[in-house]
Amino acid sequence: MAILPIRRLPDPVLREKAKRVPAVDASIRRLIDDMIESMYAASGVGLAAPQIGVSLRVIVIGMPEEEPFALINPEIVKVTGERPVDEGCLSVPGYRAEVTRHRVAIARGLTPEGKEVRIKARDDLLAQALEHEIDHINGILYIDHLPSLDVLVKVERAEPRAPRERTG
Ligand SMILES: [Zn+2]
């Protein structure tokens, strides 16, 4: 496993629509291991492959106190309701903002074993992270959801190991 540097704006890989993974194989599982390690090293709760420079549709999520998991070729299949959330991004360090996300997010994708799964999240950090990370593989950043960049709040450098500090 390897800790890889997190790509930051204006790195163009963050703006690409990532490619679908054609087959879940050992190289994809290796990528997932590196992503999980890199996510934890950066104190994130999620990471998308483009954030380590790999333009593939793979995300990992590691909720505090829970086992991390990966989704390959994930899609949001349904969202309902709206709620304001505080959000940041490892690729846009030093800022946070209030973003409107959905209350319920249902996603589907493949596990590292190639099994199709569906994940439903409601009113929690997981719902927010699913939307945030799936945005990443479509080249979308949370700042794109803001009415203006003027609403960004500058934050102090995050303490190491502050798990809720950044969304991913
Ligand atoms: Zn992010």
Side-chain angles (χ1 to χ4, degrees), residues 54-69:
V54 178
S55 195
L56 284 174
R57 303 182 80 80
V58 179
I59 66 169
V60 296
I61 289 180
M63 292 291 112
E65 321 287 320
E66 285 180 33
E67 280 291 304
F69 67 92

Side-chain angles (χ1 to χ4, degrees), residues 51 88-91 132-133 136 141 167-168:
Q51 291 182 279
C89 179
L90 296 173
S91 297
H132 181 110
E133 304 311 334
H136 267 303
L141 298 168
T167 307

Side-chain angles (χ1 to χ4, degrees), residues 46-104:
L47 197 72
Q51 291 182 279
I52 54 165
V54 178
S55 195
L56 284 174
R57 303 182 80 80
V58 179
I59 66 169
V60 296
I61 289 180
M63 292 291 112
E65 321 287 320
E66 285 180 33
E67 280 291 304
F69 67 92
L71 277 183
I72 298 152
N73 297 335
E75 314 171 25
I76 296 284
V77 290
K78 194 181 173 190
V79 287
T80 54
E82 287 189 344
R83 63 184 181 125
V85 291
D86 180 48
E87 195 154 317
C89 179
L90 296 173
S91 297
V92 191
Y95 295 92
R96 306 192 63 78
E98 190 179 283
V99 183
T100 303
R101 291 284 185 193
H102 294 98
R103 293 192 60 197
V104 176

Side-chain angles (χ1 to χ4, degrees), residues 20-37:
R20 281 183 76 80
V21 172
V24 183
D25 57 17
S27 72
I28 294 297
R29 285 187 282 272
R30 217 155 34 234
L31 168 69
I32 288 168
D33 288 345
D34 288 348
M35 286 172 63
I36 289 172
E37 202 176 12

